[in-house]
Structures are given as C-alpha cells and as structure tokens.
C-alpha cells in the first residue's frame, strides 16, 4: 500500500558517527534488530539529519524555491530553465513541489519511528536528548509543509481554520491521513518544540538541534502564528550572539559558524549536495546562473553593507553579459565540490529580527524593538549609526532588514505570505544593470490561491482523504 508521502518502508537507514557526525550509510534493517542500544538510536538520529540535508529539502530545493516564488530572484533565460514553472506561478497538481513534500514526510516518518521505539532503552538524559531531536525534526518539517501547501495563521482572518497538512505521529505506512487545520498543525508544532526545548541536551553542538536552535525555531513559529509575547519569550532564551561583521562572510564558505544556531553538515564524501546548484554553477567561463539577484533587491544593499559582498558576486559569464550572481553558496573552505556548502537552518540574526518585529507590534515597545534590530544592523553596516526609527518607520525598517539578512535562505515567500501581502516584482531584466528580459509575470495578488501550492496529484490518487487546495 504505497503512499506518495510515505515512500519509505518500515526500515531505517542508519549511519555510523564520530565527533563530526560522520554520515556514511552502512545498513537498512528493521527496528527489532537495529534499535536496541542508545548508540543505535543516535545512529538513527544521524540518518534523520542526512534526510534533512537531501537535495529535495534543506540541501538545495527548500533553500531556493521560496525566493524563486517571490521577488528576490529573477530567472535567467540563458540558464537551464530549472524551476521556471515555480518562478512563473504556473504550477499545478502534476507540477508542484512534490519532491520536497515527500522528503519532508520521510524525515517525519524517521522521527516517528525513533520515538515509537525509544522505550526499548532505559530512561536517561541521553534518551531524552534523542527524543528531543526527533520531536524538533518532526515539528520543523510539519511547519515547513504547512506553510507551503496550507495557509499561515496570520495570512488572513480565517487562515487558522483553513486546510493545513496531516500532522503525523505514527510511522505506519497503512494510514490514509486527512488534512489537519492550520491551527491544529501549529498547536502540534509548538507542543513538540516546547517539549524538545525542555528535554534537549545543553551540550549539543550546532550540527544537531540544540537548546538555542529549538528556542530560535519557537520564536519563528510564534511569529508566524501571531503570538507576539511568546516570540519575545522564546527569543530571550537564545544565548548565542549575532555574527560579527568580520566573521560574517565566513559563514557562507564554512570557515565560520559565528551566529549559526543550527546547520546541516554537507560533506564531499557523504551527503555531497550542491546547495548552490539551484542558483548557479561555476564553469570555466565564470558563474553560470539559473537565477540572479533581482535588480531591485540588489540596489537595496548599501555600499557599506557587508552582505553586498557576502551575498552577491557581480561578474560576467563569458561573453553573455554581466550578472549579479548569488554568492552565498558558491564554494566551501572545507569541501571541494562546487557549491557543497553547509545548510544554515537558523541563525541568531533571524531570532533578533523575530524579536524586533514582535516588539514593534506591541504598545510601548519601540525602544526594545529598535535595540533588537540594531543588534543586527550594527554588525552589517560599516560606521553604523542607528536611525532611531519609531512607529511605522520602525516596522518598515525591520521588514527591510529581514529581506536583506535572510535573502536566499528560504524565507522571502513566507514573509510575504504570512503578512497577507502581494508579490510585486520590478520590471527589470537579468543583467546587472536591470537590462535584459523582464519576467512575464510581475504580480501575485494577496488573495491569489497560488499562495498555497497544489497537493501532488499522485498523493490524492492513492489517498482519498487528502483534499486538494482550492483553485486547482
């Protein structure tokens, strides 16, 4: 009984491990034989992280298509025309983000399988740490699925009662799940993350879910849910600092982890996922880009902004022309493969921006909101002097900084969507100066049904309980 979202059988892929989470697969066996010792469960957790680093999830696609859908990138007609259906909002039930959906549910099934068998071992802090990591992965994957295929609670007045996604707490492949409401999905995500925060080890490094990462993710989820005081509470539990100006460029070639709360390791000999491939490839004639930085976004980066140089490479590709290439995932100081860069799932800068936005929405909290915003801005602009913004000007400054800071990390589409705003692209072409071929489609109105991507037809065909989104 095969289901699209459950392409795994009741077996687990396990991985040996050392201090750097060596992710070499060595076997696939049933739980009764494999899940016996604490070490077995830790190997299963490592396998779960490798699933998250898949090219169909954080390893590549999930970091790119939210920007492709929105206004941060522009399609290069001289590229390979990948994701063009997504860029032009022409997706349908036969051409949607089905590979991402399948991979996210694989992660969920792996997490559930671990949780279901965890009572095989005695109670201990190490057991709690395994449980916490599985719960965090389950929560994050459901959150990501719901935001893409369902509505976001703050998107409109009735979004909470709209169709979300099935929240799976069992690994049984014989299920025919129905879609939970958005509010139900979010309630489960928050419960799982809060439980994880209470159980997770304080000694986990950034290559695993850790206390800072889980509280940081809680700040993100509460922001999307509109629970503004809870955003601040969660953000205040994060101890890591925003990366400094000096260390910031090194985050994107893996020479620095400053300000990173949780990343998925990407090794040449193991995962070997080219995170940057959805954007570009480095060839003998230069950087060959599928998508380049949208001209309007490029112009928002000031000359004093360290992100202009860390995020954008303005250079020619042979004789074709000069482009503003996405530089975030071009190369690693650790790996030799082109674009084989670690995936940064959450950073301290985002947490401060979450906190700033939440505070700015609360009466009498402008000064605190500005302080959180300036923690980011003071580490991005040379000679920074605070603008001292208040009121709507402060809210606008926070949204601008979110766009600049989180570009090309899988946020932009969801930041627009959760605020109930339209997507408005500029009428600029693909070349560095805005010339070239402008997009065919410039505007997606806030009420357009295409803000919710269609459920794959293959899933609906095998699961009569899976309801399609309106408009498809």
């Amino acid at each position: 009984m095969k289901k699209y979202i459950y392409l795994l059988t009741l077996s687990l892929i396990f991985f040996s491990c050392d201090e750097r989470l060596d992710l070499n697969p060595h076997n696939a066996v049933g739980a009764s034989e494999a899940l016996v010792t604490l070490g077995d469960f830790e190997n299963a957790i490592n396998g779960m992280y490798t699933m998250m680093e898949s090219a169909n999830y954080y390893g590549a696609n999930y970091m790119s298509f939210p920007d492709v859908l929105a206004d941060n990138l522009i399609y290069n007609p001289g590229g390979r025309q990948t994701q063009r259906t997504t860029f032009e909002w022409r997706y349908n039930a036969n051409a949607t983000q089905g590979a991402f959906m399948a991979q996210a549910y694989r992660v969920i099934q792996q997490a559930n399988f671990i949780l279901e068998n965890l009572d095989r071992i005695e109670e201990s802090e190490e057991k709690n740490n395994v449980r916490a990591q599985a719960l965090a992965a389950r929560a994050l994957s459901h959150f990501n699925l719901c935001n893409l295929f369902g509505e976001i609670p703050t998107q409109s007045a009735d979004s909470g009662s709209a169709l979300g996604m099935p929240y799976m707490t069992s690994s049984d492949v014989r299920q025919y799940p129905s879609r939970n409401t958005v509010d139900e999905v979010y309630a489960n995500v928050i419960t799982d993350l809060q439980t994880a925060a209470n159980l997770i080890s304080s000694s986990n490094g950034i290559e695993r879910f850790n206390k800072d990462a889980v509280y940081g993710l809680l700040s993100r989820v509460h922001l999307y849910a509109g629970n503004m005081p809870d955003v601040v509470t969660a953000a205040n539990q994060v101890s890591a600092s925003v990366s400094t100006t000096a260390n910031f460029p090194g985050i994107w070639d893996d020479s620095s982890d400053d300000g990173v709360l949780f990343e998925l390791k990407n090794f040449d000999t193991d995962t070997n996922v080219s995170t940057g491939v959805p954007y570009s490839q480095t060839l003998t004639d230069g950087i060959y880009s599928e998508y380049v930085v949208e001209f309007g976004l490029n112009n928002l980066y000031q000359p004093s902004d360290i992100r202009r140089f860390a995020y954008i490479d303005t250079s020619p590709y042979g004789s074709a022309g000069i482009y503003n290439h996405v530089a975030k995932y071009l190369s690693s100081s650790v790996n030799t493969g082109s674009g084989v860069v670690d995936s940064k799932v959450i950073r301290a800068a985002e947490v401060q921006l979450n906190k700033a936005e939440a505070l700015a929405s609360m009466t009498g909290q402008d000064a605190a909101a500005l302080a959180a915003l300036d923690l980011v801005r003071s580490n991005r602009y040379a000679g920074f002097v605070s603008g001292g913004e208040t009121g709507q000007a402060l809210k606008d400054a926070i949204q601008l900084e979110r766009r600049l800071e989180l570009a090309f990390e899988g946020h932009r589409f969801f930041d627009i969507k959760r605020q109930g705003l339209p997507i408005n692209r500029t009428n600029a072409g693909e070349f560095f100066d805005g010339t070239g071929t402008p997009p065919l489609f410039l505007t997606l109105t806030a009420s357009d049904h295409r803000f919710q991507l269609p459920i794959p037809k293959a899933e609906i065909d095998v699961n009569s309980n899976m309801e399609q989104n309106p408009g498809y």
Side-chain angles (χ1 to χ4, degrees):
M1 188 177 296
K2 182 178 178 181
K3 289 187 172 57
Y4 189 80
I5 61 174
Y6 289 121
L7 301 183
L8 296 182
T9 60
L10 284 180
S11 62
L12 290 175
I13 301 173
F14 294 109
F15 299 83
S16 61
C17 61
D18 62 15
E19 70 277 6
R20 279 187 56 81
L21 297 186
D22 180 20
L23 304 177
N24 285 310
H26 64 76
N27 202 3
V29 294
S32 60
E33 293 82 14
L35 292 178
V36 177
T37 68
L38 176 63
D40 295 334
F41 281 96
E42 298 215 351
N43 287 338
I45 286 289
N46 288 347
M48 181 186 73
Y49 288 127
T50 301
M51 290 178 182
M52 294 180 72
E53 183 60 0
S54 160
N56 289 323
Y57 201 180
Y58 276 106
N61 286 0
Y62 191 72
M63 303 298 275
S64 67
F65 69 69
D67 284 89
V68 170
L69 278 165
D71 55 359
N72 278 351
L73 297 170
I74 184 168
Y75 163 74
N76 179 14
R80 298 180 304 169
Q81 303 193 40
T82 56
Q83 300 193 78
R84 183 170 179 178
T85 298
T86 300
F87 179 70
E88 295 181 345
W89 308 316
R90 292 187 293 109
Y91 31 80
N92 56 61
N94 291 308
T96 183
Q97 291 294 334
F100 157 68
M101 179 177 170
Q103 191 63 24
Y105 273 114
R106 287 189 183 103
V107 171
I108 291 165
Q109 189 189 37
Q110 178 89 342
N112 284 334
F113 208 45
I114 292 166
L115 292 166
E116 289 165 352
N117 289 280
L118 198 52
D119 284 341
R120 292 171 177 268
I121 59 176
E122 294 182 358
E123 294 298 325
S124 65
E125 291 183 2
E126 292 79 9
K127 176 179 176 178
N128 284 339
N129 193 35
V130 169
R131 178 179 283 115
Q133 291 173 82
L135 287 171
R138 182 171 79 180
L140 179 58
S141 292
H142 279 113
F143 175 73
N144 293 338
L145 284 162
C146 187
N147 292 336
L148 186 66
F149 295 103
E151 295 187 28
I152 296 175
T154 55
Q155 188 174 343
S156 67
D158 57 356
S159 289
S161 60
L163 290 171
M165 290 296 286
Y167 204 93
M168 308 305 300
T169 57
S170 168
S171 65
D172 189 347
V173 296
R174 295 167 295 182
Q175 299 174 89
Y176 289 91
S178 298
R179 299 178 69 176
N180 291 98
T181 66
V182 170
D183 278 347
E184 289 170 342
V185 172
Y186 268 70
N188 280 299
V189 167
I190 291 169
T191 296
D192 277 354
L193 285 176
Q194 192 61 64
T195 303
N198 293 334
L199 295 175
I200 205 155
S201 171
S202 59
S203 62
N204 285 357
I206 65 168
E207 298 170 14
R208 295 176 177 268
F209 287 107
N210 57 74
K211 198 169 288 289
D212 272 357
V214 174
Y215 277 114
L217 290 171
L218 270 168
S219 79
R220 181 190 296 177
V221 174
H222 282 305
L223 182 69
Y224 280 43
N227 305 328
M228 298 312 189
D230 293 324
V231 176
V232 179
T233 299
N236 286 341
Q237 294 295 317
V238 176
S239 60
S241 301
V242 173
S243 58
T244 65
T245 303
N247 291 336
F248 185 75
I251 295 172
W252 310 109
D253 69 3
D254 298 333
S255 62
S256 175
D257 292 325
D258 192 15
V260 178
L261 304 185
F262 173 43
E263 66 182 13
L264 293 164
K265 301 306 291 185
N266 191 5
F267 300 125
D268 282 315
T269 55
D270 297 308
T271 47
N272 194 29
V273 177
S274 293
T275 308
V277 162
Y279 306 102
S280 63
Q281 302 87 49
T282 301
L283 305 177
T284 55
D285 283 343
I287 303 170
Y288 177 68
S289 283
E290 310 285 322
Y291 289 87
V292 294
V293 181
E294 196 274 334
F295 183 65
L297 172 61
N298 177 76
N299 290 344
L300 290 175
Y301 288 102
Q302 300 177 19
S304 62
D305 189 340
I306 188 65
R307 293 168 300 201
R308 167 171 282 282
F309 309 101
Y311 289 7
I312 303 170
D313 183 314
T314 302
S315 61
Y317 175 70
S319 61
I322 302 173
Y323 303 89
N324 293 315
H325 308 284
V326 176
K328 250 183 176 177
Y329 309 101
L330 285 177
S331 63
S332 170
S333 62
V334 178
N335 300 306
T336 58
S338 177
V340 183
V341 180
D342 296 343
S343 299
K344 283 71 184 177
V345 178
I346 187 164
R347 299 186 288 114
E350 181 202 337
V351 176
Q352 290 302 319
L353 292 171
N354 295 344
K355 180 180 176 180
E357 182 175 338
L359 287 166
S361 72
M362 300 160 64
T363 303
Q365 295 297 319
D366 277 9
L370 180 65
L373 172 63
D374 284 348
L375 278 176
V376 178
R377 295 196 296 190
S378 62
N379 285 291
R380 299 296 178 264
Y381 299 94
F384 172 74
V385 176
S386 178
E389 297 94 338
T390 60
Q392 189 59 48
L394 174 60
K395 293 177 181 179
D396 292 344
I398 292 167
Q399 292 308 315
L400 171 61
E401 215 57 38
R402 283 190 72 88
R403 186 179 183 188
L404 296 174
E405 179 71 18
L406 303 176
F408 325 125
E409 292 180 61
H411 289 269
R412 181 59 178 165
F413 177 70
F414 303 117
D415 273 344
I416 294 172
K417 178 176 176 175
R418 68 181 174 83
Q419 296 179 83
L421 299 174
I423 297 173
N424 290 314
R425 295 168 174 163
T426 62
N427 191 26
E430 72 275 16
F431 296 117
F432 82 104
D433 58 357
T435 61
T437 305
L440 291 174
F441 305 97
L442 299 177
T443 301
L444 192 69
T445 61
S447 60
D448 198 295
H449 71 276
R450 288 172 292 180
F451 268 100
Q452 289 67 247
L453 268 66
I455 303 296
K457 183 177 182 297
E459 169 62 19
I460 292 174
D461 286 346
V462 298
N463 180 6
S464 59
N465 293 325
M466 181 65 79
E467 187 177 347
Q468 183 58 274
N469 282 325
Y472 296 104

